[in-house]
Amino acid sequence: MRQDQTRLINLPKIADPRGNLTVVEQMKNVPFDIARVYWTYDIPSGEHRGGHAHKHCREFIIAISGSFDVTLDNGKGTKETFHLNHPFQGLLVETDIWRTLEDFSSGAVCLVLASDPFDESDYWYDYHEFLNHVNRCSQ
């Protein structure tokens, strides 16, 4: 995976005896303007989320509670798995990267900050179509 395609980013963690605080600011901690925020939770044991790539939308994925694995695939033979389990750390996922989220712990909450509003045409849902696209772009 190229460094510009994905990376873990540590967010500010403000320690306080009353409980910790973490802040996310667009164009500061997250390198894009945030247009959409969504989260998944109550994922049944053994289920997975994701299973797609984006054509234009960039995402920043945070394990707000619990833990889960994010496997990223650039379509060129490189796959990398990240174990997210810190609410002060997020995973930046650039465009044209296939992602699968799995192995959710009980009570896990996955927060996603997205650069674009929802647009069905922005998604690659078929892995073989995604691979064809990546191979066309690299020629």
Side-chain angles (χ1 to χ4, degrees):
M1 211 66 49
R2 290 187 350 238
Q3 180 68 12
D4 61 336
Q5 290 179 320
T6 184
R7 67 179 188 254
L8 286 171
I9 297 175
N10 288 319
L11 302 167
K13 178 181 175 183
I14 302 162
D16 187 298
R18 301 169 296 164
N20 298 330
L21 172 75
T22 293
V23 177
V24 174
E25 295 179 290
Q26 63 187 11
M27 298 307 295
K28 185 174 180 181
N29 314 104
V30 177
F32 53 78
D33 288 328
I34 299 166
R36 178 171 48 123
V37 177
Y38 64 92
W39 52 97
T40 59
Y41 53 95
D42 294 340
I43 295 105
S45 179
E47 288 296 324
H48 70 276
R49 301 290 305 199
H52 64 268
H54 287 283
K55 300 172 187 177
H56 303 287
C57 185
R58 301 164 74 192
E59 292 186 331
F60 190 70
I61 303 170
I62 306 167
I64 293 297
S65 180
S67 66
F68 51 88
D69 292 337
V70 181
T71 300
L72 302 178
D73 178 349
N74 68 1
K76 300 174 186 174
T78 302
K79 291 184 183 181
E80 192 169 358
T81 300
F82 297 86
H83 183 69
L84 299 183
N85 63 348
H86 299 296
F88 57 85
Q89 188 176 64
L91 180 63
L92 176 65
V93 183
E94 295 289 349
T95 59
D96 292 333
I97 300 292
W98 191 270
R99 83 278 328 265
T100 305
L101 290 74
E102 55 197 350
D103 294 328
F104 289 86
S105 69
S106 178
V109 178
C110 172
L111 177 71
V112 180
L113 310 176
S115 65
D116 298 333
F118 177 78
D119 178 359
E120 187 74 33
S121 68
D122 182 52
Y123 287 74
W124 295 108
Y125 287 117
D126 183 286
Y127 185 69
H128 296 293
E129 288 180 16
F130 165 71
L131 291 177
N132 288 336
H133 163 74
V134 169
N135 289 326
R136 279 194 310 271
C137 289
S138 64
Q139 294 177 357

